[in-house]
Structures are given as C-alpha cells and as structure tokens.
Amino acid sequence: MNTSEKHNDRMAKLTFASVYPMYVAKVASKNRTEAELREVITWLTGFDSDKQTELINEKITFDEFFKRASLNPNVHLITGMICGYRIEEIENELTRQVRYLDKLVDELAKGRKMKKILRIP
C-alpha cells in the first residue's frame, strides 16, 4: 500500500516525545501501565526504559528514533490493520515502523496478553 509522500514526511518529522504521552494516556485509560508500554517499546526497538526517557528528553523525530533502533527480529509477525492501513502492505519503511509501534500500543490498550503482544510462541 502506498502512502503519500506528505504522509510519510509527516511521520518522519513527528517527535517521539510528542506522541509518547498519547500512548501513555491510551493504555492507562484501559487499565494498562506505563511500565507495560515501555516493555512493548523495548521489545520493538531494543531501547530500555532509561534510553526511552533519554530519547523523549532529546525530542528526537521518529526518523531518528527508528534509525537508532534495533528492531526485534520478529517484527514481521506484526500484521493487520492500523489507522486504515494494512501494516504488511505499507511500502515506506519508516511509516511501517511507526505503524508497528501504533499496532503494539493498540493491542496493549485492547487488553491483549503481553505474551501475544510480544509474539512469544
């Protein structure tokens, strides 16, 4: 699935710090914890909680965030629809990576078990 250049550019320029509070609010409203959110982000990116805080304070863009990340080798197991897009069909790599994160946050907020979210067999 092709996303527009404007959409992809907007994703690249978004800062992790600007989106993170929305992720926290989303999962908290469904009785999930910030610690669980951080665990999910660690699984996806390799950034531990301290590094996540550092990146938030740096106000880095998603472009830089994912350039620094070491994506989990099982990231290909994240599939399905998010924000009207089928993740596995998104051609722009960065936009797909941002949508991976969005999908994991959605799964956490929907009450999915951590084992399933982290794709543990």
Side-chain angles (χ1 to χ4, degrees), residues 44-63:
L44 177 64
T45 65
F47 299 137
D48 65 17
S49 188
D50 290 340
K51 184 65 174 178
Q52 290 173 42
T53 299
E54 179 183 314
L55 296 172
I56 289 167
N57 292 337
E58 268 187 67
K59 294 183 175 27
I60 66 167
T61 62
F62 269 127
D63 184 44

Side-chain angles (χ1 to χ4, degrees), residues 7-73:
H7 179 264
N8 294 334
D9 190 50
R10 191 178 57 132
M11 287 283 149
K13 291 179 179 175
L14 270 175
T15 63
F16 179 60
S18 69
V19 178
Y20 184 78
M22 292 181 246
Y23 290 154
V24 172
K26 183 173 192 164
V27 300
S29 73
K30 302 294 183 171
N31 297 318
R32 299 303 288 257
T33 67
E34 186 173 359
E36 289 173 309
L37 173 62
R38 287 192 176 242
E39 182 179 350
V40 166
I41 295 170
T42 298
W43 178 87
L44 177 64
T45 65
F47 299 137
D48 65 17
S49 188
D50 290 340
K51 184 65 174 178
Q52 290 173 42
T53 299
E54 179 183 314
L55 296 172
I56 289 167
N57 292 337
E58 268 187 67
K59 294 183 175 27
I60 66 167
T61 62
F62 269 127
D63 184 44
E64 186 62 29
F65 180 83
F66 282 104
K67 281 180 181 172
R68 294 185 194 181
S70 298
L71 290 186
N72 188 292

Side-chain angles (χ1 to χ4, degrees), residues 1-4 6-12 14 16 19 22-23 26 40-41 43-45 62-63 65-66 71 75-108 117 119:
M1 170 177 284
N2 270 333
T3 51
S4 71
K6 184 177 179 179
H7 179 264
N8 294 334
D9 190 50
R10 191 178 57 132
M11 287 283 149
L14 270 175
F16 179 60
V19 178
M22 292 181 246
Y23 290 154
K26 183 173 192 164
V40 166
I41 295 170
W43 178 87
L44 177 64
T45 65
F62 269 127
D63 184 44
F65 180 83
F66 282 104
L71 290 186
V75 74
H76 67 279
L77 299 174
I78 303 171
T79 59
M81 297 291 288
I82 187 73
C83 301
Y85 297 98
R86 180 156 292 285
I87 293 173
E88 56 272 29
E89 295 176 2
I90 297 173
E91 293 177 8
N92 181 278
E93 183 179 3
L94 176 62
T95 300
R96 187 174 55 250
Q97 292 168 340
V98 172
R99 294 306 183 193
Y100 285 151
L101 180 54
D102 291 342
K103 180 71 172 174
L104 295 176
V105 171
D106 271 6
E107 290 176 356
L108 184 62
I117 296 168
R119 278 51 183 182

